[in-house]
């Protein structure tokens, strides 16, 4: 297909990765999706050249152990397919825990991604909320990050934007906005590790769920 | 998985989806509608077990029966085992999450000797009594096993209620039906075992008494309670009538082999004298090209896999191989499926076959000369010539392959230093061929010599032979490494202590049960993994029971010796094996079954000649 044709038949599929599926890595997800697309009967496009493979692009990897309700993958189809048919066909063959929400034509590109919003659910403990508030009130939070230059101390506080904190009997829910994408990212686990060090006790994470992906000016990645 | 107990632990282990279940293709049933529950236990970790074709076949076959439910169980890796013991989580089946001690059958597949301690470990983790005699008279759970090592299961005999010899597609279901009938009338374990012993192919070890001579060799194997004196393996007569799955459980994590496998034939016509598989899977039986094609397509469509592999001991020996490839290619090319053909013999490697294999990863081809000189190849009956090896390499090079792997063994019967140097010479000839300017081959060459240590196996002409001792093998490895001149040739060798253990367990007797138990008790498990294998623990276990590995591995066995597997019939006659052994020592080859029948005895079950 020529350049213009390729763009015409590009589709972005939004899907959820939850339940048992949170225990598979990004690479595993990639393989799983290739097979699912093949089973679905969708007319997927294969790359040309020496090693033809089913074209699937994931703009942002999700760490093993995290759920998400906003993952996307881009694929190309060799024919135009009605939008609502795409998630239907995929859901018919997806394993439990994967759910295709919708398909659309891609607007933004992977390199436009700047942030992601996460919902962190921590198991309640005595003083958990107070400890977190004290932790986050610090002007600086230093963590060790392994870079090409070796291990560096980085202040992650400026990267963390608290959207909301709520508490129930059994859990503390943190709605956070963190950098994500090619221009720099902060994995929520780094934050929870730093919090654990701060309180000097084990913290039990019930769940981490990515809930939205953003571009500049907090425009939703679509 | 038992969600409440396991889930909080999953993020603390490597590759948690080994333990979750929930894969596409998994079979979930309502246990209230089930009469017999079967826990299929692969005695190694998920990544290994999910590649195993036998499990896929028997899983699908059993689950096709509405009133049976077969679920999968694998060994936990060390990190998960530690957590399970600490949190008191019993070994469970992936589909239901139920502890396997509540199942009717706990069935293991004996694939490899170094997995034996995993069996004991899994029984222990399941809270099932390890020794058969401790399971009492209640009927369930029954601990059973099938698979290739069952041709000599004696080192495990005291841990199992029964063994299933040969091919399971018919006998497994027969066994479960008899079980169901007896369960309904409230039969006890021993009543059931007595009945099971009458089913062809079922071996109940507790109904046989072993007696030994003073020198440690077996004196006799005595059946009790009407058990048959000889147990004959089961054979599926018609490969075109036998069940084959249409669907597979698709793992999330990448197993060792991540593809659709279609079995194309059983048995082998070559008669290589070291090869147990080639003899115990006889007689040779092919599946028709049409069946192979239909099964391949159906599995690819249902699973979405993009690699299809034809599975057998020697794929090019299928009489219709070119037709099969042509037929499959009409489908695979358009469907973007890679066709892979492992187990290709060097002497049938042709350009036309190579052109049809469309594996994207043109990484390398493997040939198994097994011995470095024609003389030694004649001894082991690996009937390929140097010319054929070089010709095949040439075809491979011309096809764009630049990595060649050559498999050999060290310690073969009658082996001399000359034979070892022959390995290096052969590899060098392959290198020279690549760089011969008239061949116009491009790229960077890598020739790998991979040497295993010869392990004598039951039901082969070499079952009488000693394994070479450790210091002898080390010396041979040294000779080989020093004989290799070129930097383009890489030599890898197999760990000698593991080879010794394989040799002991392969031809071991029932007295080894106590050794395996003590080795496990002292911490041995996952012995096939380098990071876990601890030979010193095994040595201690042997010493504790006054048994010597050398007795089992390094001793020449006379043609008259009663072998521990004497009462098990795999159709290959003792007379044939002795004759072949004598020919080996004269360096006399035996032609393939297609060329000339050598009367091994395998055709008895067919009631006609094989060809």
């Amino acid at each position: 297909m020529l350049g213009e044709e390729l763009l015409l038949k590009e589709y972005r599929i939004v899907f959820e990765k939850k339940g048992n599926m949170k225990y598979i890595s990004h690479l595993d997800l990639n393989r799983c999706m290739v097979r699912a697309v093949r089973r679905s009967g969708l007319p997927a496009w294969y790359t040309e050249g020496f090693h033809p493979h089913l074209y699937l692009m994931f703009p942002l990897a999700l760490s093993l152990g995290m759920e998400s309700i906003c993952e996307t993958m881009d694929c190309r189809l060799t024919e135009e397919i009605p939008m609502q048919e795409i998630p239907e066909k995929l859901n018919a063959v997806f394993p439990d825990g994967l759910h295709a929400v919708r398909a659309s034509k891609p607007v933004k590109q992977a390199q436009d991604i700047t942030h992601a919003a996460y919902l962190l659910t921590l198991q309640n403990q005595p003083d958990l909320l107070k400890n977190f508030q004290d932790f986050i009130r610090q002007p600086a939070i230093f963590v060790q990050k392994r870079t090409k230059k070796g291990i560096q101390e980085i202040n992650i506080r400026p990267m963390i934007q608290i959207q909301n904190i709520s508490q129930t009997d059994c859990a503390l829910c943190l709605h956070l906005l963190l950098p994500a994408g090619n221009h720099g990212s902060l994995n929520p686990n780094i934050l929870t590790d730093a919090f654990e060090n701060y309180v000097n006790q084990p913290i039990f994470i019930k769940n981490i769920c990515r809930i939205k992906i953003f571009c500049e000016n907090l425009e939703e990645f679509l | 998985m038992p969600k409440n107990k396991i889930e909080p632990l999953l993020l603390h282990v490597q590759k948690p989806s080994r333990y979750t279940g929930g894969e596409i293709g998994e079979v979930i049933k309502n246990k209230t509608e089930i009469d017999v529950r079967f826990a299929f236990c692969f005695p190694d970790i998920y990544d290994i077990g999910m590649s195993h074709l036998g499990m896929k076949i028997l899983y699908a076959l059993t689950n096709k029966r509405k009133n049976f439910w077969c679920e999968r169980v694998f060994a936990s890796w060390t990190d998960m085992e530690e957590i399970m013991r600490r949190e008191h989580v019993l070994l469970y089946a992936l589909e239901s999450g139920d502890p396997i001690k509540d199942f009717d059958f706990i069935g293991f597949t004996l694939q490899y000797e170094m997995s034996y301690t995993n069996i004991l470990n899994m029984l222990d983790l399941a809270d099932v009594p390890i020794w058969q005699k401790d399971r009492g008279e209640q009927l369930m759970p029954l601990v059973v096993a099938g698979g290739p090592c069952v041709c000599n299961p004696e080192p495990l005999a005291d841990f199992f209620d029964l063994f299933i010899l040969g091919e399971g597609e018919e006998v497994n279901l027969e066994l479960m039906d008899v079980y169901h009938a007896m369960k309904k009338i409230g039969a006890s374990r021993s009543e059931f075992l007595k009945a099971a012993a009458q089913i062809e192919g079922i071996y109940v070890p507790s109904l046989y008494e072993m007696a030994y001579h003073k020198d440690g060799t077996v004196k006799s194997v005595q059946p009790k309670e009407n058990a048959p004196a000889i147990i004959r393996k089961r054979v599926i007569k018609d490969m075109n009538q036998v069940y084959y799955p249409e669907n597979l459980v698709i793992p999330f994590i990448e197993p060792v082999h991540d593809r659709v496998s279609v079995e194309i034939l059983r048995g082998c016509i070559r008669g290589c004298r070291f090869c147990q598989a080639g003899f115990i899977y006889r007689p040779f039986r092919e599946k028709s090209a049409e069946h192979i094609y239909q099964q391949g397509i159906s599995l690819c469509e249902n699973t979405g896999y993009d690699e299809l592999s034809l599975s057998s001991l020697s794929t090019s020996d299928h009489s219709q191989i070119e037709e099969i490839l042509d037929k499959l290619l009409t489908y695979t090319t358009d469907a973007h499926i890679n066709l892979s053909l492992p187990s290709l013999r060097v002497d049938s490697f042709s350009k036309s076959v190579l052109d049809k294999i469309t594996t994207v990863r043109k990484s390398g081809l493997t040939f198994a000369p097994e011995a470095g000189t024609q003389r030694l190849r004649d001894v082991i009956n690996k009937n390929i010539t140097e010319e054929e090896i070089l010709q095949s390499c040439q075809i491979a090079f011309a096809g764009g392959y630049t990595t060649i792997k050559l498999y050999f063994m060290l310690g073969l019967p009658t082996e001399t230093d000359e034979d070892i140097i022959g390995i290096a010479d052969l590899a060098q000839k392959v290198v020279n061929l690549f760089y011969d300017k008239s061949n116009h081959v491009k790229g960077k060459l890598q020739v790998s010599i991979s040497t295993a240590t010869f392990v004598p196996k039951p039901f082969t002409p070499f079952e009488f032979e000693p394994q070479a001792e450790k210091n002898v093998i080390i010396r041979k490895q040294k000779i080989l490494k020093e004989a290799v001149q070129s930097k383009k040739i890489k030599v890898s060798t197999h760990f000698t202590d593991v080879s010794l253990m394989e040799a002991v367990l392969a031809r071991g007797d029932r007295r080894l049960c106590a050794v395996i138990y003590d080795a496990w008790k002292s911490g041995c498990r996952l012995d096939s993994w380098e990071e876990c294998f601890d030979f010193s623990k095994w040595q201690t276990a042997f010493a504790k029971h006054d048994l010597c590995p050398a007795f089992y591995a390094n001793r020449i066995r006379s043609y008259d010796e009663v072998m521990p597997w004497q009462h098990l019939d795999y159709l290959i006659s003792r007379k044939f094996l002795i004759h072949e052994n004598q020919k080996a020592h004269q360096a006399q080859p035996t032609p393939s079954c297609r060329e000339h029948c050598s009367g091994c005895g395998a055709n008895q079950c067919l009631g006609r000649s094989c060809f």
Side-chain angles (χ1 to χ4, degrees):
Chain A
M1 282 201 279
L2 300 173
E4 290 166 8
E5 277 183 55
L6 283 175
L7 286 173
L8 263 168
K9 288 163 184 158
E10 189 131 352
Y11 294 85
R12 179 160 292 162
I13 296 152
V14 177
F15 64 95
E16 297 180 343
K17 183 181 185 242
K18 290 158 75 171
N20 269 355
M21 292 302 288
K22 73 180 177 196
Y23 299 112
I24 75 172
S25 70
H26 183 70
L27 279 178
D28 292 334
L29 179 72
N30 206 325
R31 264 194 301 271
C32 177
M33 283 301 190
V34 167
R35 294 190 286 248
V37 171
R38 289 176 62 84
R39 286 194 303 275
S40 70
L42 287 168
W45 181 75
Y46 285 75
T47 61
E48 280 134 20
F50 223 43
H51 295 256
H53 55 271
L54 199 151
Y55 176 84
L56 271 186
M57 295 291 269
F58 295 85
L60 198 62
L62 183 69
S63 294
L64 192 156
M66 290 193 215
E67 288 188 336
S68 172
I69 57 174
C70 62
E71 293 309 285
T72 65
M73 69 179 181
D74 293 350
C75 70
R76 290 180 188 148
L77 304 180
T78 56
E79 304 158 24
E80 286 267 356
I81 301 278
M83 287 300 179
Q84 66 270 32
E85 247 181 66
I86 296 174
E88 264 167 34
K89 282 198 148 76
L90 288 173
N91 286 328
V93 298
F94 267 173
D96 264 343
L98 276 186
H99 178 73
V101 178
R102 65 176 181 277
S104 54
K105 296 290 185 181
V107 176
K108 305 269 191 226
Q109 295 183 301
Q111 59 250 42
D112 299 333
I113 295 174
T114 58
H115 291 85
Y118 296 89
L119 197 63
L120 269 75
T121 311
L122 306 181
Q123 192 164 298
N124 222 352
Q125 285 166 215
D127 295 327
L128 188 64
L129 174 59
K130 179 181 178 306
N131 284 333
F132 187 76
Q133 286 165 332
D134 291 341
F135 167 71
I136 213 68
R137 204 171 287 138
Q138 299 175 93
I141 298 171
F142 286 104
V143 298
Q144 309 235 309
K145 209 170 182 186
R146 202 173 280 121
T147 65
K148 285 175 211 153
K149 298 172 194 165
I151 300 182
Q152 286 192 320
E153 283 250 308
I154 301 201
N155 175 15
I156 62 169
R157 184 59 192 92
M159 303 183 200
I160 308 167
Q161 293 177 58
I162 311 282
Q163 308 287 81
N164 190 40
I165 302 180
S166 65
Q167 192 171 35
T168 63
D169 279 338
C170 47
L172 180 69
C173 297
L174 308 169
H175 179 180
L176 307 170
L177 193 64
L178 302 175
N182 299 344
H183 311 287
S185 70
L186 182 62
N187 188 316
N189 282 312
I190 295 183
L191 172 61
T192 52
D193 284 346
F195 179 42
E196 206 171 52
N197 282 337
Y198 176 80
V199 295
N200 207 16
Q201 309 165 17
I203 299 290
F204 299 102
I205 303 171
K206 292 184 86 165
N207 197 31
I208 301 180
C209 186
R210 183 147 74 195
I211 55 180
K212 230 176 199 153
I213 300 175
F214 296 103
C215 304
E216 235 176 337
N217 301 321
L218 287 186
E219 275 179 60
E220 195 174 344
F221 173 75
L222 286 170
Chain B
M1 56 162 175
K3 246 186 140 52
N4 294 336
K5 289 197 125 185
I6 287 285
E7 196 147 16
L9 315 170
L10 284 175
L11 291 175
H12 300 281
V13 299
Q14 267 180 49
K15 301 197 181 166
S17 63
R18 285 169 174 163
Y19 311 106
T20 60
E23 307 98 318
I24 282 273
E26 111 182 309
V27 175
I28 304 288
K29 295 194 179 186
N30 180 349
K31 60 188 172 201
T32 58
E33 297 171 5
I34 300 298
D35 293 324
V36 184
R37 292 185 81 178
F38 194 106
F40 195 115
C41 300
F42 190 92
D44 209 317
I45 61 172
Y46 181 97
D47 317 30
I48 305 291
M50 285 301 287
S51 303
H52 178 52
L53 180 56
M55 182 176 199
K56 296 181 214 256
I57 296 174
L58 295 175
Y59 179 85
L61 171 90
T62 311
N63 281 325
K64 214 157 173 262
R65 285 281 300 266
K66 283 210 163 75
N67 63 329
F68 293 165
W69 191 11
C70 180
E71 301 178 56
R72 296 161 301 140
V73 190
F74 299 94
S76 304
W77 187 246
T78 52
D79 51 4
M80 184 50 134
E81 178 185 339
E82 199 186 308
I83 292 179
M84 285 172 76
R85 288 191 188 277
R86 196 185 64 218
E87 304 291 325
H88 308 292
V89 177
L90 295 180
L91 188 62
Y92 57 91
L94 288 179
E95 281 74 1
S96 62
D98 292 336
I100 64 174
K101 71 187 293 200
D102 297 335
F103 282 53
D104 297 285
F105 283 92
I106 295 174
F108 288 89
T109 174
L110 305 189
Q111 292 289 316
Y112 177 39
E113 295 86 4
M114 303 318 290
S115 68
Y116 289 2
T117 51
N118 291 340
I119 294 169
L120 303 198
N121 203 36
M122 288 170 78
L123 288 173
D124 186 57
L125 272 172
D127 193 29
V128 170
I130 292 178
W131 297 94
Q132 193 275 338
K133 61 175 167 54
D134 294 337
R135 287 179 203 137
E137 275 310 320
Q138 72 187 62
L139 185 54
M140 54 193 264
L142 285 163
V143 181
V144 310
C149 296
V150 162
C151 72
N152 177 29
E154 292 305 310
L156 291 172
D158 292 341
F159 308 118
F160 281 90
D161 289 293
L162 61 88
F163 295 107
I164 303 166
L165 271 60
E167 295 156 25
E169 286 98 338
E170 288 165 357
V171 65
N172 281 26
L173 298 178
E174 282 167 28
L175 182 68
M176 289 168 80
D177 280 327
V178 169
Y179 170 85
H180 180 214
M182 295 192 78
K183 180 179 171 185
K184 280 204 284 218
I185 62 171
S188 68
R189 184 179 298 262
S190 45
E191 282 165 350
F192 171 73
L193 291 178
K194 261 195 276 190
Q198 301 304 319
I199 301 174
E200 192 190 335
I202 301 293
Y203 167 39
V204 179
S206 55
L207 295 179
Y208 296 80
E209 259 341 312
M210 294 291 166
Y212 302 92
H213 290 295
K214 274 214 185 75
D215 66 2
T217 57
V218 175
K219 185 171 172 188
S220 63
V221 181
Q222 282 291 6
K224 301 187 284 195
E225 315 242 27
N226 234 13
I230 306 277
I231 303 108
R232 177 180 274 197
K233 72 162 187 175
R234 292 292 291 261
V235 173
I236 298 296
K237 292 218 172 64
D238 188 350
M239 289 296 290
N240 291 314
Q241 302 283 358
V242 76
Y243 175 80
Y244 203 75
E246 288 165 345
N247 240 309
L248 306 172
V249 181
I250 305 169
F252 292 127
I253 59 178
E254 198 176 10
V256 176
H257 293 302
D258 203 13
R259 61 196 179 189
V260 165
S261 278
V262 177
E263 194 185 9
I264 66 172
L265 61 87
R266 282 188 192 169
C268 189
I269 60 174
R270 298 292 169 173
C272 303
R273 293 175 177 137
F274 54 85
C275 179
Q276 181 181 67
F279 287 108
I280 65 169
Y281 289 118
R282 286 187 176 190
F284 181 88
R285 292 148 289 152
E286 289 182 344
K287 211 182 259 188
S288 73
E290 184 57 38
H291 269 94
I292 293 167
Y293 173 70
Q294 292 298 345
Q295 289 169 0
I297 295 188
S298 158
L299 282 166
C300 287
E301 307 258 278
N302 290 336
T303 60
Y305 265 116
D306 55 10
E307 186 176 331
L308 171 61
S309 154
L310 300 186
S311 174
S312 77
L313 291 174
S314 181
T315 299
S316 41
D317 286 337
H318 195 293
S319 58
Q320 299 174 288
I321 188 63
E322 302 248 3
E323 189 187 317
I324 293 168
L325 291 177
D326 285 334
K327 231 178 146 82
L328 281 170
L329 278 166
T330 62
Y331 168 70
T332 59
T333 346
D334 287 332
H336 300 276
I337 293 176
N338 295 321
L339 197 54
S340 112
L341 254 64
S343 316
L344 275 179
R345 267 182 74 94
V346 143
D347 55 358
S348 45
F349 193 72
S350 64
K351 184 171 188 310
S352 66
V353 166
L354 181 61
D355 283 344
K356 288 163 190 167
I357 307 169
T358 55
T359 39
V360 163
R361 285 177 305 281
K362 268 213 167 82
S363 48
L365 281 173
T366 304
F367 298 123
E370 308 292 8
T373 60
Q374 194 57 50
R375 184 203 73 84
L376 192 51
R377 284 195 290 273
D378 288 346
V379 168
I380 66 177
N381 207 39
K382 185 88 194 210
N383 295 321
I384 55 177
T385 63
E386 185 174 286
E387 200 189 321
E388 282 162 341
I389 296 167
L390 293 175
Q391 214 166 56
S392 297
C393 288
Q394 181 142 2
I395 295 173
F397 293 151
Y401 290 84
T402 55
T403 306
I404 301 286
K405 226 182 182 175
L406 298 170
Y407 282 166
F408 293 93
M409 278 181 281
L410 292 178
L412 290 166
T414 75
E415 188 177 85
T416 63
D417 290 357
E418 243 170 41
D419 297 309
I420 299 173
I421 294 170
I423 297 175
D425 288 345
L426 184 54
Q428 187 60 51
K429 288 186 178 140
V430 173
V431 171
N432 296 344
L433 188 66
F434 187 85
Y435 288 111
D436 182 339
K437 294 208 169 72
S438 66
N439 282 329
H440 304 292
V441 191
K442 292 184 218 142
K444 208 174 159 200
L445 174 71
Q446 178 73 66
V447 175
S448 304
I449 295 174
S450 177
T451 62
T453 305
F454 166 62
V455 176
K457 293 274 174 105
F459 295 106
T460 65
F462 288 165
E463 65 176 23
F464 312 97
E465 300 292 331
Q467 182 182 55
E469 285 172 22
K470 180 172 174 170
N471 57 327
V472 172
I473 295 291
I474 290 176
R475 185 184 154 269
K476 289 175 192 274
Q477 289 172 345
K478 190 157 176 266
I479 293 175
L480 176 60
K481 287 189 177 138
E482 285 168 2
V484 167
Q485 304 288 342
S486 167
K487 284 205 186 104
K488 301 288 175 190
I489 302 173
K490 214 174 56 165
V491 179
S492 72
T493 55
H494 199 228
F495 199 30
T496 50
D497 290 334
V498 174
S499 306
L500 173 61
M501 284 308 308
E502 290 170 8
V504 171
L505 294 171
R507 292 182 305 167
D509 58 38
R510 222 174 260 210
R511 293 171 301 182
L512 291 177
C513 295
V515 174
I516 296 174
Y517 182 82
D518 281 335
W520 164 72
K521 202 89 188 139
S522 68
C524 292
R525 80 262 283 111
L526 297 166
D527 290 316
S528 60
W529 296 86
E530 203 182 309
E531 57 263 64
C532 298
F533 178 67
D534 186 345
F535 188 53
S536 65
K537 292 203 168 93
W538 279 98
Q539 287 174 309
T540 308
F542 277 104
K544 183 168 170 203
H545 295 281
D546 244 340
L547 289 170
C548 183
F551 172 80
Y552 294 99
N554 310 114
R555 181 174 60 87
I556 297 177
R557 302 189 184 210
S558 83
Y559 291 154
D560 304 316
E561 183 172 327
V562 176
M563 304 294 197
W565 54 91
Q566 199 71 8
H567 50 305
L568 305 178
D569 180 8
Y570 273 70
L571 304 177
I572 309 295
S573 78
R574 189 71 179 272
K575 213 166 128 200
F576 168 80
L577 293 177
I578 291 171
H579 185 58
E580 278 294 302
N581 184 275
Q582 288 166 333
K583 282 177 85 175
H585 285 279
Q586 318 277 357
Q588 257 181 58
T590 291
S592 82
C593 301
R594 271 222 178 88
E595 295 169 81
H596 172 76
C597 175
S598 302
C600 69
N603 68 316
Q604 292 168 69
C605 64
L606 296 177
R608 54 171 175 83
S609 55
C610 300
F611 296 100

